[in-house]
Amino acid sequence: MTKIRELKTYFSDLKRLSYVYNLLNWDQRVYMPEGSNEGRSEIIAYISKLRHKRLISDKTKRLIKEAEKVDDLDLIDDAILREAKREYEKAVRVPPELVEELAKNATLSHNGWKKAREKNDFSLFEPWLTKMIDLQKKYADYIDMYPNRYDNLLDEYEPGATSDWLTNLFVSLKPKLSTILNKLMDSEDQPNRSILAKSYSPEKQWAFCRDIIKKLNFDFQIGRLDKSVHPFTISIASTDVRITSRIIEKFLPSCIFGTIHECGHALYEMGLMNEIHSTNLASGCSMGIHESQSRLWENIIGRSKEFWDFWYPKLQKYFPENLRDFPASEFYRAINKVEPSTIRVEADELTYSLHIILRFELEKLIFADKIEVNELPQLWNQKMEELLFLSPNNDAEGILQDVHWSGGAFGYFPSYALGNLYASQIYSTAQKEISGLSTHLSQGNYKPLLDYLRKNIHQFGKIYPPRELIKRVSGEKLNSRYFLEHLKDKFYPMYNIN
Ligand code: ZN
């Protein structure tokens, strides 16, 4: 038993190094003076190197070997060993020179991407994208846990996910989303969003969003809400979970839904059972499951009628000049309007997944060596036309819009679409198991739902892998049925479609 305890402590120390890294990172993105960037990046790189060195050390290998000899590990210890092995075995396969090259080039490539996007000139990013793809191919080939190269990257974000599995999910999803989208677009009863683009005082928006997340049970005793250019959630311990959001004065939904989204991530991190605090199990079980929690609160709850039954009168009090005479029913339609756009982050609940399918299809081609980098912008635009009937005005609105590829995060995008599917499947079970859920929600009582999520998902952290978790929660494998039902149930009545 002491053998597993030793391994547990060793990995807890590695976790603490990650928390140091996270704190430096949070400060860099929230408070640090701009001119301090270079010095800070050096410290962050050093911590990262230190952690990596310890991870791939002989000591790690020995501790894992010894722990493997222990019989009768309990659920938690067994998962600690599984995760330790998973992380170690991946890390030792990759030569340290490649790790360093990846980190170094990610920063340079990020700058290249920023410049290209500002100047709307793909050719400025092309050499960097080529480099990042090349390095990620090498990385995937070193990992070599799956015969299909791309699967090695997908597994980083969604353990066990393969491109065949995702292709199956998306192949059936794509035409069904298109059918729903076409019906909505053909409806003559289109919501009007102009009310959302009036001027809303930033201070009041911020205060309103704080009210909301307080009510959603975000614990300010162990959490913070700050401002940053791109909203994010980060843990500095299981008892220190921080989120950020942003305010756009003339677009009300940005702050409200961005804050609820990050709050959903934070509730997950705040809900881990004490026994796994600061262990290697102390975080979400996969990016897809994490994203399911943010999207459940943002879209399924935050954009529901029940939610606004409770919050709209309060919002009217905050902004009487805009909303005093504006009906709640129209506000609900405005925040839910479905409209194809070229930009992923602005996409609605329905078209969002189509943006992801586009990126997934391109990544598959890239890692199967079926496409050259210079062909990507053209193919991006062509797919956009197919899926969303739009073609970007320029590359800044097309292939240059996302940050992910510049940092080498290939295989990450599918998590967003998986999040939508997981969220609907989980919520459908919650509805069956929580009596009077809809009434609770319209009274602003989120405790029953949060308790349900804590009991079935949050507390476990990484104890169960994602596929096992979804089966335990819902009794079946992940599928797109619940998401499609959710979309139809919500949007057909809203658009007067029978
Ligand atoms: Zn998210």
Side-chain angles (χ1 to χ4, degrees):
M1 212 50 195
T2 52
K3 292 295 166 208
I4 186 74
R5 204 160 295 150
E6 226 182 304
L7 180 79
K8 188 175 172 176
T9 309
Y10 191 74
F11 270 82
S12 289
D13 287 344
L14 290 178
K15 185 78 183 176
R16 289 182 185 110
L17 278 177
S18 311
Y19 286 145
V20 172
Y21 176 99
N22 287 356
L23 179 57
L24 290 166
N25 190 283
W26 172 83
D27 177 69
Q28 186 177 37
R29 290 153 87 180
V30 176
Y31 278 124
M32 193 192 73
E34 229 173 276
S36 317
N37 217 5
E38 215 179 304
R40 176 58 55 87
S41 298
E42 279 170 17
I43 308 174
I44 288 179
Y46 176 71
I47 298 281
S48 178
K49 209 165 135 187
L50 192 69
R51 188 184 181 284
H52 185 75
K53 237 171 122 180
R54 290 200 180 179
L55 174 64
I56 58 165
S57 69
D58 289 342
K59 185 167 181 190
T60 315
K61 189 178 174 182
R62 178 172 60 78
L63 291 174
I64 289 175
K65 264 202 170 145
E66 285 169 359
E68 275 181 316
K69 289 184 205 145
V70 182
D71 291 329
D72 305 330
L73 290 179
D74 65 16
L75 180 71
I76 293 178
D77 289 344
D78 191 52
I80 284 175
L81 174 59
R82 184 197 68 224
E83 285 304 310
K85 260 178 84 174
R86 182 181 144 81
E87 206 191 349
Y88 169 77
E89 279 170 7
K90 274 190 174 187
V92 286
R93 287 174 188 225
V94 186
E97 303 80 55
L98 180 59
V99 176
E100 212 166 331
E101 215 185 334
L102 274 164
K104 201 179 79 195
N105 280 285
T107 316
L108 296 170
S109 157
H110 180 79
N111 293 337
W113 165 76
K114 254 167 95 178
K115 217 172 266 163
R117 192 167 118 144
E118 270 161 34
K119 300 221 157 113
N120 184 23
D121 182 354
F122 179 74
S123 73
L124 295 176
F125 183 46
E126 197 184 316
W128 289 112
L129 184 57
T130 309
K131 180 86 193 166
M132 290 316 282
I133 289 173
D134 185 43
L135 289 174
Q136 286 295 324
K137 280 180 182 169
K138 276 192 194 156
Y139 179 81
D141 292 342
Y142 275 117
I143 298 275
D144 197 25
M145 283 166 50
Y146 296 90
N148 180 340
R149 181 196 271 156
Y150 183 39
D151 293 354
N152 293 298
L153 302 177
L154 290 166
D155 184 83
E156 300 267 301
Y157 307 101
E158 194 66 18
T162 63
S163 68
D164 283 349
W165 177 66
L166 285 166
T167 303
N168 272 333
L169 274 175
F170 293 165
V171 156
S172 68
L173 184 62
K174 191 161 92 168
K176 287 173 187 155
L177 286 176
S178 296
T179 308
I180 303 175
L181 180 61
N182 277 318
K183 280 195 181 180
L184 301 187
M185 292 301 97
D186 287 345
S187 162
E188 293 191 350
D189 198 3
Q190 295 292 325
N192 183 335
R193 290 210 298 186
S194 57
I195 188 73
L196 306 174
K198 296 198 177 233
S199 184
Y200 293 87
S201 134
E203 292 73 27
K204 287 191 192 171
Q205 285 195 45
W206 199 246
F208 180 66
C209 288
R210 274 187 78 93
D211 288 352
I212 291 181
I213 62 168
K214 225 184 250 171
K215 200 88 181 130
L216 291 177
N217 300 292
F218 179 89
D219 185 351
F220 279 95
Q221 285 293 321
I222 56 164
R224 285 186 61 91
L225 168 66
D226 293 275
K227 289 171 197 144
S228 71
V229 183
H230 301 288
F232 66 96
T233 302
I234 201 161
S235 286
I236 290 147
S238 298
T239 48
D240 185 351
V241 183
R242 306 183 183 194
I243 62 174
T244 67
S245 190
R246 65 170 162 198
I247 309 163
I248 300 177
E249 189 167 344
K250 292 203 166 175
F251 193 60
L252 185 61
S254 183
C255 188
I256 295 178
F257 296 108
T259 312
I260 299 176
H261 181 98
E262 299 308 327
C263 176
H265 282 303
L267 291 173
Y268 191 178
E269 296 278 323
M270 285 172 169
L272 304 172
M273 62 169 86
N274 288 334
E275 291 85 340
I276 62 168
H277 282 188
S278 17
T279 68
N280 61 348
L281 306 174
S283 61
C285 99
S286 72
M287 288 310 299
I289 298 283
H290 228 306
E291 205 56 25
S292 79
Q293 296 309 291
S294 53
R295 274 156 204 274
L296 192 151
W297 289 104
E298 177 198 352
N299 290 332
I300 302 182
I301 304 302
R303 291 181 204 266
S304 69
K305 270 208 174 88
E306 289 90 342
F307 187 84
W308 291 100
D309 283 346
F310 183 81
W311 286 103
Y312 192 62
K314 294 171 177 55
L315 186 67
Q316 282 178 308
K317 273 193 196 140
Y318 267 103
F319 303 103
E321 65 285 8
N322 295 337
L323 301 175
R324 195 191 301 114
D325 301 318
F326 195 80
S329 56
E330 285 306 306
F331 181 81
Y332 168 73
R333 281 162 54 87
I335 55 169
N336 280 298
K337 184 175 169 67
V338 172
E339 192 168 38
S341 72
T342 53
I343 307 293
R344 174 184 62 86
V345 294
E346 285 169 14
D348 54 80
E349 237 181 303
L350 190 157
T351 57
Y352 194 95
S353 296
L354 294 169
H355 286 269
I356 299 309
I357 291 173
L358 178 154
R359 288 152 178 79
F360 170 69
E361 288 178 353
L362 291 180
E363 288 187 347
K364 268 205 306 188
L365 293 173
I366 292 171
F367 287 93
D369 293 324
K370 284 189 180 151
I371 187 164
E372 297 295 327
V373 174
N374 62 18
E375 298 169 310
L376 283 170
Q378 170 70 20
L379 192 57
W380 179 290
N381 297 351
Q382 193 184 317
K383 282 188 179 287
M384 181 66 71
E385 185 85 46
E386 267 167 45
L387 288 164
L388 291 156
F389 329 115
L390 290 169
S391 126
N393 289 321
N394 50 52
D395 288 336
E397 280 182 23
I399 192 167
L400 291 173
Q401 66 179 276
D402 297 310
V403 65
H404 305 61
W405 288 353
S406 77
F410 296 91
Y412 186 105
F413 282 120
S415 325
Y416 296 123
L418 289 176
N420 285 333
L421 305 187
Y422 281 129
S424 296
Q425 194 161 324
I426 291 165
Y427 190 68
S428 157
T429 319
Q431 276 178 311
K432 283 176 214 138
E433 292 195 18
I434 306 169
S435 69
L437 178 57
S438 161
T439 315
H440 289 308
L441 296 175
S442 51
Q443 291 167 349
N445 178 15
Y446 306 106
K447 198 75 180 29
L449 179 58
L450 180 61
D451 286 346
Y452 175 85
L453 297 171
R454 288 249 149 109
K455 185 173 152 236
N456 292 288
I457 297 164
H458 299 177
Q459 62 160 332
F460 298 121
K462 279 181 182 289
I463 291 179
Y464 300 111
R467 291 204 205 182
E468 201 178 327
L469 186 73
I470 191 66
K471 232 175 155 187
R472 283 177 58 90
V473 177
S474 68
E476 53 184 315
K477 283 188 197 162
L478 181 68
N479 64 77
S480 56
R481 210 176 86 218
Y482 298 96
F483 178 55
L484 290 163
E485 272 170 20
H486 160 74
L487 294 175
K488 286 185 206 161
D489 288 350
K490 176 167 183 176
F491 291 114
Y492 284 178
M494 211 179 105
Y495 278 79
N496 269 318
I497 295 165
N498 302 314

